[in-house]
Amino acid sequence: MTNNNGTGRCVQLDALRGFAILAMIVFHFTFDLGYFGLISSDIIYRPNWIFFQKLIAGSFIFVAGISLHLCHGSGIKWSYVRQRLLVLGGAAFGISVITLFSFGVFWIKFGILHCILVCSVTCLVFVHRPLSVILGITIALGIFVFSVPTPIDLPVAFQWLIETRIRHYSLDYSPVFPWIFVFICGILLSKVKLILKPNLPCFYRSTWDKTMLTSLAYIGRRSLIIYIIHQPILFIIFFSFIKLT
């Protein structure tokens, strides 16, 4: 995957991340409408909205897998690993603390940031391995994920790893299994693309296409900070609207 913007980043990948964060804002906007009583509070728990939420989470995790391979596929860069641990770990911890005080029993114990962090660290052991090894691990994990029915009968301490029969209540819940399978699929796709097509240029059908892709990529490069601040901003807007009306 080639550098398409002069910054060493893949424009397509940033654009996909930007699209995912916009979709997440739409989902959280709908959640807030229900939370503040402006629409039915059960809308986001309906099958189509649950599927939408899972699709958004899967997009983030899949892109994170691709990014991990692009960064460490030729060898682990430990300075980036330490930086990611600090930034992503700090953000995940902060979200857990804030939601604990804001939502009580519904606090986010192990959400999407926690999952991406654990998957990123776990997959470092083989991210730079040959394609055959990554393919074998992907197949093995796929078999496990699709053959083991969930929830399973395990203590609550294992909820970060896989869904258990004990209800979690968390507003955002993304256990390592099955999502690590999606993460590794991202690593596999990145590995295949680099082997078969080491250069992946952007093709624009029009100026509008280029503008849209560039705009999404701009958002995608700031996805973490947007993820952290967008919900507090939405809450302030809704709270102000209700107070004024």
Side-chain angles (χ1 to χ4, degrees):
M1 296 184 183
T2 190
N3 165 23
N4 296 306
N5 60 1
T7 64
R9 299 181 66 99
C10 177
V11 174
Q12 299 99 317
L13 199 61
D14 283 333
L16 179 57
R17 191 182 287 109
F19 184 82
I21 198 67
L22 291 179
M24 178 169 286
I25 292 174
V26 170
F27 180 85
H28 285 162
F29 180 83
T30 307
F31 169 85
D32 293 344
L33 286 172
Y35 183 81
F36 285 97
L38 300 175
I39 61 173
S40 175
S41 60
D42 70 336
I43 283 184
I44 63 166
Y45 300 105
R46 296 174 185 177
N48 55 337
W49 280 95
I50 292 176
F51 175 77
F52 183 47
Q53 181 189 31
K54 299 297 183 184
L55 187 62
I56 295 169
S59 299
F60 276 116
I61 294 170
F62 184 73
V63 169
I66 296 176
S67 298
L68 188 78
H69 178 260
L70 289 177
C71 183
H72 304 288
S74 58
I76 299 176
K77 300 177 178 63
W78 290 108
S79 60
Y80 288 99
V81 173
R82 289 190 293 270
Q83 181 182 5
R84 189 169 182 81
L85 284 172
L86 289 173
V87 174
L88 204 56
F93 177 76
I95 287 174
S96 291
V97 172
I98 292 171
T99 55
L100 176 61
F101 287 100
S102 301
F103 300 106
V105 69
F106 300 103
W107 70 291
I108 298 175
K109 304 176 184 69
F110 199 86
I112 187 169
L113 292 186
H114 305 72
C115 181
I116 290 176
L117 179 62
V118 171
C119 289
S120 297
V121 174
T122 303
C123 293
L124 281 175
V125 298
F126 61 81
V127 69
H128 58 285
R129 304 297 179 185
L131 175 61
S132 58
V133 174
I134 298 176
L135 177 61
I137 294 172
T138 305
I139 293 173
L141 274 175
I143 293 172
F144 175 82
V145 165
F146 289 105
S147 62
V148 176
T150 56
I152 62 176
D153 191 17
L154 282 175
V156 67
F158 289 91
Q159 280 189 339
W160 67 274
L161 185 63
I162 194 168
E163 184 179 3
T164 70
R165 296 187 187 278
I166 303 171
R167 189 172 179 181
H168 58 79
Y169 294 103
S170 180
L171 289 171
D172 177 20
Y173 179 57
S174 303
V176 173
F177 292 98
W179 291 115
I180 194 171
F181 172 68
V182 177
F183 190 93
I184 291 177
C185 283
I187 295 175
L188 179 64
L189 177 66
S190 179
K191 186 75 172 180
V192 170
K193 284 290 186 182
L194 288 178
I195 290 175
L196 299 181
K197 297 180 180 180
N199 292 310
L200 185 62
C202 285
F203 295 97
Y204 309 116
R205 290 176 298 176
S206 65
T207 303
W208 169 250
D209 289 345
K210 183 176 181 179
T211 301
M212 180 181 294
L213 189 68
T214 304
S215 299
L216 286 173
Y218 179 85
I219 295 171
R221 290 193 295 272
R222 293 153 181 82
S223 58
L224 181 58
I225 186 63
I226 294 174
Y227 177 84
I228 293 171
I229 69 172
H230 81 277
Q231 190 63 304
I233 291 174
L234 287 176
F235 259 59
I236 292 171
I237 292 173
F238 277 108
F239 184 79
S240 301
F241 173 79
I242 291 174
K243 284 295 183 181
L244 291 174
T245 56

Coordinates of all heavy atoms in Angstrom, one line a residue, residues 169-240:
Y169 N -23.8 -5.8 31.0 CA -24.5 -4.5 31.1 C -23.7 -3.4 30.4 O -24.2 -2.2 30.3 CB -24.7 -4.1 32.6 CG -25.7 -4.9 33.3 CD1 -25.2 -5.9 34.2 CD2 -27.0 -4.8 33.1 CE1 -26.2 -6.7 34.9 CE2 -28.0 -5.6 33.8 CZ -27.5 -6.6 34.6 OH -28.4 -7.4 35.3
S170 N -22.5 -3.6 30.0 CA -21.6 -2.5 29.5 C -22.2 -1.9 28.2 O -22.7 -2.6 27.4 CB -20.2 -3.1 29.1 OG -19.4 -2.1 28.6
L171 N -22.1 -0.6 28.1 CA -22.6 0.1 27.0 C -21.8 -0.2 25.7 O -22.4 -0.2 24.6 CB -22.6 1.7 27.2 CG -23.5 2.2 28.2 CD1 -23.2 3.7 28.5 CD2 -25.0 2.1 27.7
D172 N -20.6 -0.5 25.9 CA -19.7 -0.9 24.7 C -19.0 -2.2 25.2 O -18.2 -2.1 26.1 CB -18.8 0.2 24.3 CG -17.8 -0.2 23.2 OD1 -18.1 -1.2 22.5 OD2 -16.8 0.4 23.1
Y173 N -19.2 -3.3 24.5 CA -18.6 -4.5 24.9 C -18.0 -5.2 23.7 O -18.7 -5.6 22.8 CB -19.6 -5.4 25.6 CG -19.1 -6.8 26.0 CD1 -18.0 -6.9 26.9 CD2 -19.7 -8.0 25.6 CE1 -17.5 -8.1 27.3 CE2 -19.2 -9.2 26.0 CZ -18.1 -9.3 26.8 OH -17.6 -10.5 27.2
S174 N -16.7 -5.3 23.7 CA -16.0 -6.0 22.5 C -14.9 -6.9 23.1 O -13.7 -6.6 23.2 CB -15.3 -4.9 21.7 OG -16.3 -4.0 21.2
P175 N -15.3 -8.1 23.4 CA -14.3 -9.1 24.0 C -13.3 -9.5 22.9 O -13.6 -9.4 21.7 CB -15.2 -10.3 24.4 CG -16.4 -10.2 23.6 CD -16.7 -8.7 23.3
V176 N -12.2 -10.0 23.4 CA -11.1 -10.4 22.4 C -11.6 -11.5 21.4 O -11.4 -11.3 20.2 CB -9.9 -11.0 23.2 CG1 -8.9 -11.6 22.3 CG2 -9.3 -9.9 24.1
F177 N -12.4 -12.4 21.9 CA -13.0 -13.4 21.0 C -14.5 -13.0 20.8 O -15.2 -12.8 21.8 CB -12.9 -14.8 21.5 CG -11.5 -15.4 21.5 CD1 -10.7 -15.3 22.6 CD2 -11.0 -15.9 20.3 CE1 -9.4 -15.8 22.6 CE2 -9.7 -16.4 20.3 CZ -8.9 -16.3 21.5
P178 N -15.0 -12.8 19.6 CA -14.4 -13.2 18.3 C -13.6 -12.1 17.6 O -13.1 -12.3 16.5 CB -15.7 -13.5 17.5 CG -16.7 -12.5 18.0 CD -16.4 -12.3 19.5
W179 N -13.5 -10.9 18.2 CA -13.0 -9.8 17.4 C -11.5 -9.9 17.0 O -11.1 -9.3 16.1 CB -13.2 -8.5 18.2 CG -14.6 -8.1 18.3 CD1 -15.4 -8.0 19.5 CD2 -15.5 -7.7 17.3 NE1 -16.7 -7.6 19.2 CE2 -16.7 -7.5 17.8 CE3 -15.3 -7.6 15.9 CZ2 -17.8 -7.1 17.0 CZ3 -16.4 -7.3 15.1 CH2 -17.6 -7.0 15.7
I180 N -10.7 -10.7 17.7 CA -9.3 -10.9 17.3 C -9.3 -11.6 16.0 O -8.3 -11.4 15.2 CB -8.6 -11.7 18.4 CG1 -7.1 -11.6 18.1 CG2 -9.0 -13.2 18.5 CD1 -6.2 -12.2 19.2
F181 N -10.3 -12.4 15.6 CA -10.3 -13.0 14.3 C -10.5 -11.9 13.2 O -9.8 -12.0 12.2 CB -11.5 -14.0 14.2 CG -11.8 -14.5 12.8 CD1 -10.9 -15.4 12.2 CD2 -12.9 -14.1 12.1 CE1 -11.1 -15.8 10.9 CE2 -13.2 -14.6 10.9 CZ -12.3 -15.5 10.3
V182 N -11.3 -10.9 13.5 CA -11.4 -9.8 12.5 C -10.1 -9.0 12.4 O -9.7 -8.6 11.3 CB -12.6 -8.9 13.0 CG1 -12.7 -7.7 12.0 CG2 -13.9 -9.6 13.0
F183 N -9.5 -8.8 13.6 CA -8.2 -8.1 13.6 C -7.1 -8.9 12.8 O -6.4 -8.3 12.0 CB -7.7 -8.0 15.1 CG -6.5 -7.2 15.3 CD1 -6.7 -5.8 15.6 CD2 -5.2 -7.6 15.2 CE1 -5.6 -5.0 15.9 CE2 -4.1 -6.8 15.4 CZ -4.3 -5.5 15.7
I184 N -7.1 -10.2 12.9 CA -6.1 -11.0 12.2 C -6.4 -11.0 10.7 O -5.5 -11.1 9.9 CB -5.9 -12.4 12.8 CG1 -5.3 -12.2 14.2 CG2 -5.1 -13.3 11.9 CD1 -5.2 -13.5 15.0
C185 N -7.7 -11.0 10.4 CA -8.1 -10.9 8.9 C -7.5 -9.6 8.3 O -7.1 -9.6 7.2 CB -9.6 -10.9 8.8 SG -10.3 -12.6 9.0
G186 N -7.5 -8.6 9.1 CA -6.9 -7.3 8.6 C -5.4 -7.5 8.4 O -4.8 -7.0 7.4
I187 N -4.7 -8.2 9.3 CA -3.3 -8.4 9.1 C -3.1 -9.3 7.8 O -2.2 -9.0 7.0 CB -2.7 -9.2 10.3 CG1 -2.8 -8.3 11.6 CG2 -1.3 -9.7 10.1 CD1 -2.3 -9.0 12.9
L188 N -3.9 -10.3 7.7 CA -3.8 -11.2 6.5 C -4.0 -10.4 5.2 O -3.2 -10.6 4.3 CB -4.8 -12.3 6.6 CG -4.8 -13.3 5.5 CD1 -3.5 -14.1 5.4 CD2 -6.0 -14.3 5.6
L189 N -5.0 -9.6 5.1 CA -5.3 -8.8 3.9 C -4.1 -7.9 3.6 O -3.7 -7.8 2.5 CB -6.5 -8.0 4.1 CG -6.9 -7.1 2.9 CD1 -7.2 -7.9 1.7 CD2 -8.0 -6.2 3.2
S190 N -3.6 -7.2 4.6 CA -2.4 -6.4 4.4 C -1.2 -7.1 3.9 O -0.5 -6.7 3.0 CB -2.1 -5.7 5.7 OG -0.9 -4.8 5.5
K191 N -1.0 -8.3 4.4 CA 0.1 -9.2 4.0 C 0.0 -9.6 2.5 O 0.9 -9.5 1.7 CB 0.2 -10.4 4.9 CG 1.4 -11.3 4.6 CD 2.7 -10.7 5.2 CE 3.8 -11.7 5.1 NZ 5.1 -11.1 5.6
V192 N -1.2 -10.0 2.2 CA -1.5 -10.4 0.8 C -1.4 -9.3 -0.2 O -0.8 -9.4 -1.2 CB -2.9 -11.0 0.7 CG1 -3.3 -11.2 -0.8 CG2 -3.0 -12.3 1.5
K193 N -1.9 -8.1 0.2 CA -1.8 -6.9 -0.7 C -0.3 -6.5 -0.9 O 0.0 -6.2 -2.0 CB -2.6 -5.7 0.0 CG -4.1 -5.8 -0.2 CD -4.5 -5.7 -1.6 CE -6.0 -5.6 -1.7 NZ -6.5 -5.5 -3.1
L194 N 0.5 -6.6 0.1 CA 1.9 -6.2 0.0 C 2.7 -7.1 -0.9 O 3.6 -6.8 -1.5 CB 2.5 -6.0 1.4 CG 2.1 -4.8 2.2 CD1 2.8 -4.8 3.5 CD2 2.4 -3.5 1.5
I195 N 2.2 -8.4 -0.8 CA 2.9 -9.4 -1.6 C 2.5 -9.4 -3.1 O 3.3 -9.4 -4.0 CB 2.7 -10.8 -1.1 CG1 3.4 -11.0 0.3 CG2 3.1 -11.9 -2.0 CD1 3.1 -12.3 1.0
L196 N 1.2 -9.3 -3.3 CA 0.6 -9.3 -4.7 C 0.7 -8.0 -5.4 O 0.9 -7.9 -6.6 CB -0.8 -9.8 -4.7 CG -1.0 -11.2 -4.1 CD1 -2.5 -11.6 -4.2 CD2 -0.2 -12.3 -4.8
K197 N 0.4 -6.9 -4.6 CA 0.4 -5.5 -5.2 C 1.1 -4.6 -4.2 O 0.4 -3.9 -3.4 CB -1.1 -5.1 -5.4 CG -1.8 -5.9 -6.4 CD -3.3 -5.4 -6.6 CE -4.0 -6.2 -7.6 NZ -5.4 -5.7 -7.7
P198 N 2.4 -4.5 -4.3 CA 3.1 -3.7 -3.3 C 2.8 -2.2 -3.5 O 3.0 -1.5 -2.5 CB 4.6 -3.9 -3.7 CG 4.6 -4.5 -5.1 CD 3.3 -5.2 -5.2
N199 N 2.2 -1.8 -4.6 CA 1.8 -0.4 -4.7 C 0.3 -0.4 -5.0 O -0.1 -1.0 -6.0 CB 2.6 0.3 -5.9 CG 4.0 0.5 -5.5 OD1 4.3 1.0 -4.4 ND2 4.9 0.1 -6.4
L200 N -0.4 0.4 -4.2 CA -1.9 0.4 -4.4 C -2.3 1.9 -4.6 O -2.6 2.6 -3.6 CB -2.6 -0.2 -3.2 CG -4.1 -0.3 -3.3 CD1 -4.5 -1.2 -4.4 CD2 -4.7 -0.7 -1.9
P201 N -2.3 2.4 -5.8 CA -2.5 3.8 -6.1 C -4.0 4.1 -5.9 O -4.9 3.2 -5.9 CB -2.1 4.0 -7.5 CG -2.3 2.7 -8.2 CD -2.0 1.6 -7.1
C202 N -4.3 5.4 -5.7 CA -5.7 5.9 -5.6 C -6.2 6.2 -7.1 O -5.4 6.7 -7.9 CB -5.8 7.2 -4.8 SG -5.6 6.9 -3.1
F203 N -7.4 5.8 -7.3 CA -8.0 6.1 -8.6 C -9.2 7.0 -8.3 O -10.1 6.7 -7.6 CB -8.5 4.8 -9.3 CG -7.3 4.0 -9.7 CD1 -6.9 2.9 -8.9 CD2 -6.6 4.2 -10.9 CE1 -5.9 2.1 -9.3 CE2 -5.5 3.4 -11.2 CZ -5.1 2.4 -10.4
Y204 N -9.3 8.1 -9.0 CA -10.4 9.1 -8.8 C -11.2 9.2 -10.1 O -10.6 9.4 -11.2 CB -9.9 10.5 -8.4 CG -8.9 10.5 -7.3 CD1 -7.6 10.9 -7.5 CD2 -9.3 10.1 -6.0 CE1 -6.7 10.9 -6.4 CE2 -8.4 10.1 -5.0 CZ -7.1 10.5 -5.2 OH -6.2 10.5 -4.1
R205 N -12.5 9.0 -10.0 CA -13.3 9.2 -11.2 C -13.6 10.7 -11.4 O -14.0 11.1 -12.5 CB -14.6 8.4 -11.0 CG -14.4 6.9 -11.1 CD -15.7 6.2 -10.8 NE -16.2 6.5 -9.5 CZ -17.4 6.0 -9.0 NH1 -18.2 5.3 -9.8 NH2 -17.7 6.3 -7.8
S206 N -13.5 11.5 -10.4 CA -13.8 12.9 -10.5 C -13.1 13.7 -9.3 O -12.6 13.1 -8.4 CB -15.3 13.1 -10.4 OG -15.8 12.8 -9.1
T207 N -13.2 15.0 -9.5 CA -12.6 15.8 -8.4 C -13.4 15.6 -7.1 O -12.9 15.7 -6.0 CB -12.7 17.3 -8.8 OG1 -12.0 17.5 -10.0 CG2 -12.1 18.2 -7.7
W208 N -14.7 15.4 -7.2 CA -15.6 15.1 -6.0 C -15.1 13.9 -5.3 O -15.0 13.9 -4.1 CB -17.0 15.0 -6.5 CG -17.9 14.4 -5.4 CD1 -18.5 13.2 -5.3 CD2 -18.3 15.1 -4.2 NE1 -19.3 13.1 -4.2 CE2 -19.1 14.3 -3.4 CE3 -18.0 16.4 -3.7 CZ2 -19.7 14.6 -2.2 CZ3 -18.6 16.7 -2.4 CH2 -19.4 15.9 -1.7
D209 N -14.7 12.8 -6.0 CA -14.2 11.6 -5.4 C -12.9 11.9 -4.6 O -12.8 11.4 -3.5 CB -13.9 10.5 -6.5 CG -15.2 10.0 -7.1 OD1 -16.3 10.2 -6.5 OD2 -15.1 9.3 -8.2
K210 N -12.1 12.7 -5.2 CA -10.8 13.0 -4.6 C -11.0 13.8 -3.3 O -10.4 13.6 -2.3 CB -9.9 13.7 -5.5 CG -8.5 14.0 -5.0 CD -7.6 14.7 -6.0 CE -6.2 15.0 -5.4 NZ -5.3 15.6 -6.4
T211 N -11.9 14.8 -3.4 CA -12.2 15.6 -2.3 C -12.8 14.8 -1.1 O -12.5 15.0 0.0 CB -13.2 16.8 -2.7 OG1 -12.6 17.5 -3.7 CG2 -13.5 17.7 -1.5
M212 N -13.8 13.9 -1.5 CA -14.4 13.1 -0.4 C -13.4 12.2 0.2 O -13.4 12.1 1.5 CB -15.5 12.3 -1.1 CG -16.3 11.4 -0.1 SD -17.6 10.4 -0.8 CE -18.7 11.7 -1.3
L213 N -12.5 11.6 -0.6 CA -11.6 10.7 0.0 C -10.6 11.4 0.9 O -10.2 11.0 2.0 CB -10.8 10.0 -1.1 CG -9.9 8.8 -0.7 CD1 -10.7 7.6 -0.2 CD2 -9.0 8.4 -1.9
T214 N -10.1 12.6 0.4 CA -9.2 13.4 1.2 C -9.8 13.8 2.5 O -9.2 13.8 3.6 CB -8.7 14.6 0.4 OG1 -8.2 14.2 -0.8 CG2 -7.7 15.4 1.2
S215 N -11.1 14.2 2.5 CA -11.8 14.7 3.7 C -12.0 13.5 4.7 O -11.7 13.7 5.9 CB -13.2 15.2 3.3 OG -13.1 16.3 2.4
L216 N -12.3 12.4 4.2 CA -12.5 11.2 5.1 C -11.1 10.8 5.7 O -11.1 10.4 6.8 CB -13.1 10.0 4.3 CG -14.6 10.1 4.0 CD1 -15.0 8.9 3.0 CD2 -15.4 10.1 5.2
A217 N -10.1 10.9 4.9 CA -8.8 10.6 5.4 C -8.3 11.6 6.4 O -7.7 11.2 7.4 CB -7.7 10.6 4.2
Y218 N -8.7 12.8 6.3 CA -8.3 13.8 7.3 C -9.0 13.5 8.6 O -8.4 13.6 9.7 CB -8.8 15.2 6.8 CG -8.5 16.3 7.8 CD1 -7.3 17.0 7.8 CD2 -9.5 16.7 8.6 CE1 -7.1 18.0 8.7 CE2 -9.3 17.8 9.5 CZ -8.1 18.4 9.6 OH -7.8 19.4 10.5
I219 N -10.3 13.1 8.5 CA -11.0 12.7 9.7 C -10.4 11.4 10.3 O -10.2 11.3 11.5 CB -12.5 12.5 9.4 CG1 -13.1 13.8 9.0 CG2 -13.3 11.9 10.6 CD1 -14.5 13.6 8.4
G220 N -10.1 10.5 9.5 CA -9.5 9.2 9.9 C -8.2 9.3 10.7 O -7.9 8.6 11.6
R221 N -7.4 10.3 10.3 CA -6.1 10.5 10.9 C -6.3 11.1 12.3 O -5.4 11.1 13.1 CB -5.2 11.5 10.1 CG -4.7 10.8 8.8 CD -3.6 11.7 8.2 NE -4.1 13.0 7.7 CZ -4.6 13.2 6.5 NH1 -4.7 12.2 5.7 NH2 -5.0 14.4 6.2
R222 N -7.5 11.6 12.6 CA -7.8 12.1 13.9 C -8.9 11.3 14.6 O -9.6 11.8 15.5 CB -8.2 13.6 13.8 CG -7.1 14.5 13.3 CD -7.5 15.7 12.6 NE -6.4 16.5 12.1 CZ -5.7 16.2 11.0 NH1 -6.0 15.2 10.3 NH2 -4.6 17.0 10.7
S223 N -9.0 10.1 14.2 CA -10.2 9.3 14.7 C -10.2 9.0 16.2 O -11.2 9.0 16.8 CB -10.2 7.9 14.0 OG -9.0 7.2 14.2
L224 N -9.0 8.9 16.8 CA -8.9 8.6 18.2 C -9.4 9.8 19.1 O -10.3 9.6 20.0 CB -7.5 8.2 18.7 CG -7.4 7.9 20.2 CD1 -8.3 6.7 20.6 CD2 -5.9 7.6 20.5
I225 N -9.0 11.0 18.7 CA -9.4 12.1 19.5 C -10.9 12.4 19.2 O -11.6 12.8 20.1 CB -8.5 13.4 19.1 CG1 -8.9 14.6 20.0 CG2 -8.6 13.8 17.7 CD1 -8.6 14.3 21.5
I226 N -11.3 12.2 18.0 CA -12.8 12.4 17.7 C -13.6 11.4 18.5 O -14.6 11.7 19.0 CB -13.0 12.2 16.2 CG1 -12.4 13.4 15.4 CG2 -14.5 12.2 15.9 CD1 -12.4 13.3 13.9
Y227 N -13.1 10.1 18.6 CA -13.8 9.1 19.3 C -13.9 9.5 20.8 O -15.0 9.3 21.4 CB -13.0 7.8 19.2 CG -13.6 6.6 20.0 CD1 -14.7 5.9 19.5 CD2 -13.2 6.4 21.3 CE1 -15.2 4.9 20.3 CE2 -13.7 5.3 22.0 CZ -14.8 4.6 21.5 OH -15.3 3.6 22.3
I228 N -12.9 10.1 21.3 CA -12.9 10.5 22.8 C -13.8 11.6 23.1 O -14.5 11.6 24.1 CB -11.4 10.8 23.2 CG1 -10.6 9.5 23.2 CG2 -11.4 11.3 24.6 CD1 -9.1 9.7 23.4
I229 N -13.8 12.6 22.2 CA -14.5 13.9 22.5 C -15.9 14.0 21.9 O -16.7 14.9 22.4 CB -13.7 15.1 22.1 CG1 -13.6 15.2 20.6 CG2 -12.3 15.1 22.7 CD1 -13.0 16.5 20.1
H230 N -16.2 13.2 20.9 CA -17.5 13.4 20.3 C -18.7 13.2 21.2 O -19.7 13.9 21.1 CB -17.6 12.6 19.0 CG -18.0 11.2 19.2 ND1 -17.2 10.2 19.6 CD2 -19.3 10.6 19.1 CE1 -17.8 9.0 19.7 NE2 -19.1 9.2 19.4
Q231 N -18.7 12.2 22.0 CA -19.8 11.9 22.9 C -20.0 13.0 23.9 O -21.2 13.4 24.2 CB -19.7 10.5 23.5 CG -20.9 10.0 24.2 CD -22.1 9.8 23.3 OE1 -22.6 10.7 22.7 NE2 -22.7 8.6 23.3
P232 N -19.0 13.4 24.6 CA -19.2 14.6 25.6 C -19.8 15.8 24.9 O -20.6 16.5 25.4 CB -17.8 14.8 26.1 CG -17.1 13.5 26.0 CD -17.6 12.9 24.7
I233 N -19.3 16.1 23.6 CA -19.8 17.2 22.9 C -21.3 17.0 22.6 O -22.1 18.0 22.8 CB -19.0 17.4 21.6 CG1 -17.6 17.9 21.9 CG2 -19.7 18.5 20.7 CD1 -16.7 18.0 20.7
L234 N -21.7 15.8 22.2 CA -23.1 15.5 21.9 C -23.9 15.7 23.1 O -25.0 16.2 23.1 CB -23.2 14.1 21.3 CG -22.8 13.9 19.9 CD1 -22.9 12.5 19.5 CD2 -23.6 14.8 18.9
F235 N -23.4 15.2 24.3 CA -24.1 15.3 25.5 C -24.4 16.8 25.9 O -25.5 17.1 26.4 CB -23.4 14.6 26.7 CG -23.9 13.2 27.0 CD1 -24.0 12.2 26.0 CD2 -24.4 12.9 28.2 CE1 -24.5 11.0 26.3 CE2 -24.9 11.7 28.6 CZ -25.0 10.7 27.6
I236 N -23.4 17.6 25.7 CA -23.5 19.0 26.0 C -24.6 19.7 25.2 O -25.4 20.4 25.6 CB -22.2 19.7 25.9 CG1 -21.2 19.3 27.0 CG2 -22.3 21.2 26.0 CD1 -19.8 19.8 26.8
I237 N -24.5 19.3 23.9 CA -25.5 19.8 22.9 C -26.9 19.4 23.3 O -27.9 20.3 23.4 CB -25.2 19.4 21.5 CG1 -23.9 20.0 21.0 CG2 -26.3 19.8 20.5 CD1 -23.4 19.5 19.7
F238 N -27.1 18.1 23.6 CA -28.5 17.7 23.9 C -28.9 18.2 25.3 O -30.1 18.6 25.4 CB -28.5 16.1 24.0 CG -28.7 15.5 22.7 CD1 -27.6 14.8 22.1 CD2 -29.9 15.5 22.0 CE1 -27.8 14.2 20.8 CE2 -30.1 14.9 20.8 CZ -29.0 14.2 20.2
F239 N -28.0 18.3 26.2 CA -28.4 18.8 27.5 C -28.8 20.3 27.4 O -29.8 20.8 28.0 CB -27.2 18.7 28.5 CG -27.5 19.1 29.9 CD1 -28.2 18.3 30.8 CD2 -27.1 20.3 30.4 CE1 -28.5 18.7 32.1 CE2 -27.4 20.8 31.7 CZ -28.1 19.9 32.5
S240 N -28.0 21.0 26.6 CA -28.3 22.5 26.4 C -29.7 22.6 25.7 O -30.5 23.5 26.0 CB -27.2 23.1 25.6 OG -26.0 23.0 26.3

